[in-house]
Each structure stands twice: as structure tokens, then as C-alpha cells.
Amino acid sequence: MSDNKEKTDGLVSLVIDGQPVQAKEDWTVLETARHNHIHIPTLCYHEAVQANGGCRLCVVEAKEGNWSKIVVSCLYPVKEGLQISTSTAKVNNVRRWILEMLLAECPASKEIRTLAEAYGVNSTRFKIDRPTEQCLLCGLCVRVCEEVVGVRAISFGSRGVNKQVATPYMVPNNACVACGSCVTVCPTGAMQARLNMVRGNVSERTGHGHAH
Ligand code: SF4
């Protein structure tokens, strides 16, 4: 415990967008930016669950010595002397590419459209397989259900273009406690429409007639 504790308590100094900041050595770049009120866009990130770098929108440019590269800030660990830029031309190009892919992945999502427009992306060159889809398959709902609620009522079902967040066998799952956490964290509102399928008729199951 003491070894770990000492490590966790160590501070490293880095620079984000020209601003010198300090971070605990087990923090990521995104955590450090948030701690210092520096905005980095995210969709699949929530501080309550493990980051998984799923949406890639939080890319930033990291410079160290003579090299620089694009990294996923929610997974990238801080390091002494690191220089981070959150919105260079390179970074914004990558984000525009990601947003184009997301426009094809979940074309019915108002949130994604608004975000894409903010980056000047109004259309996509990628193929749209599911025109009514709102879900970007970031898995935040799955992680919250498992890691925070401790239930695992939902998971990724099917593969490829049919991949979706669902209950086992696509039938209402009695394990769901209808807490609504998945709906709350969903960045696009996609889980709202899916919750009825997931939880089934709660009044029949509990005799309470509503979700709480
Ligand atoms: S409402 Fe059901 S599926 Fe959603 S987080 Fe709660 S238990 Fe999991």
C-alpha cells in the first residue's frame, strides 16, 4: 500500500496549450486537462468508469523532445515535460475524420450532427448502413451498468454492421433494476429509446408501476 500510495502522490509537470500544469503521476492527459478546466471534447468518457478510448474524439497532439504524435488523451498517461496541444490543425483534422465516421455510424443522432457542424463537418463520405441509428457503440452504458450499478444487464450483441447494445437474446432482462444510469450517461440519447426493451414491463415485475 505505502509504495503505491507514494507513487500516486507524486506530481509531474507538463504543459497543456501553453499552460504549465501539474498532475498526479497516475493521471491521464484528459484527467489533467479536466482538472485544469481545459476543454477536450469527448463522447465515450465518464469519470465514473474505466476509459476505453472508444470514440477517439479526445485526441490531442503530444510533444516530447524532438517527436510529436497524435494520442488518445483519455488513455495517454502524463509524463514529466510533456507538451500537449488540444486543438492544432492536425488534431482538428483527425477529429473531423472521426466525426465523419460517426455521422455514418449514427446518422440519426442530433448530438453528433451538432458536434460535427461545430467542426465544419456537414456530410460524410462513409457508407450509411443504418439511417435511423443514434448509437455510436461507445459502450459507456455497458460500462456504467457493469462497473457502477454492478448488474451487467446489457452488452454488445451481434457483430459487424449489426453490432448493437442489447440484452442477451434481445429479450427484456430481469437483471435490469431500471436505475436509468445507462440513459443518463449516454452521449447521444440512444439509450432512452432502448431502455423499454432492456427492462421490459417493470410494473409487472415489481408491482411498482414506474422505474424507481
Ligand atoms: S437501467 Fe438497467 S441496463 Fe441501464 S444501467 Fe440500470 S440496470 Fe443497467
Side-chain angles (χ1 to χ4, degrees):
M1 151 97 188
S2 61
D3 277 4
N4 272 344
K5 189 75 174 67
E6 271 161 33
K7 268 194 152 185
T8 307
D9 285 342
L11 289 177
V12 297
S13 300
L14 62 155
V15 174
I16 305 182
D17 290 343
Q19 182 184 328
V21 295
Q22 285 201 312
K24 293 205 174 165
E25 60 182 23
D26 61 349
W27 282 4
T28 62
V29 168
L30 179 64
E31 284 173 309
T32 310
R34 293 232 162 156
H35 187 76
N36 288 281
H37 311 289
I38 298 168
H39 177 69
I40 297 175
T42 61
L43 285 165
C44 74
Y45 178 80
H46 194 288
E47 58 273 11
V49 295
Q50 285 283 320
N52 74 350
C55 76
R56 294 290 197 261
L57 201 66
C58 69
V59 287
V60 294
E61 194 167 349
K63 273 194 195 141
E64 205 185 336
N66 289 329
W67 61 259
S68 92
K69 62 179 174 179
I70 297 289
V71 300
V72 175
S73 67
C74 72
L75 297 178
Y76 203 76
V78 292
K79 199 173 169 195
E80 186 71 29
L82 198 61
Q83 289 193 43
I84 298 292
S85 303
T86 65
S87 60
T88 60
K90 230 190 212 175
V91 166
N92 288 334
N93 271 340
V94 176
R95 285 196 194 132
R96 275 194 281 273
W97 180 258
I98 292 164
L99 286 162
E100 252 196 80
M101 286 196 279
L102 288 174
L103 279 181
E105 187 101 28
C106 40
S109 166
K110 193 171 164 289
E111 287 78 2
I112 298 295
R113 274 205 308 275
T114 306
L115 193 54
E117 275 163 22
Y119 279 83
V121 178
N122 299 303
S123 61
T124 179
R125 287 164 285 178
F126 297 99
K127 186 166 166 269
I128 296 175
D129 287 310
R130 298 186 284 195
T132 58
E133 187 58 73
Q134 280 185 286
C135 173
L136 73 144
L137 299 172
C138 69
L140 190 48
C141 54
V142 173
R143 283 176 284 148
V144 161
C145 188
E146 177 174 350
E147 293 177 34
V148 180
V149 189
V151 163
R152 297 177 90 170
I154 45 178
S155 60
F156 285 117
S158 307
R159 280 163 189 259
V161 292
N162 294 320
K163 188 174 176 184
Q164 61 176 308
V165 170
T167 54
Y169 308 109
M170 300 288 286
V171 295
N173 189 344
N174 283 345
C176 172
V177 294
C179 66
S181 304
C182 52
V183 175
T184 307
V185 296
C186 177
T188 64
M191 231 10 236
Q192 180 71 55
R194 239 155 257 202
L195 191 58
N196 280 342
M197 188 284 282
V198 171
R199 68 184 182 180
N201 189 332
V202 174
S203 57
E204 264 175 27
R205 280 170 36 200
T206 65
H208 288 122
H210 59 78
H212 301 287

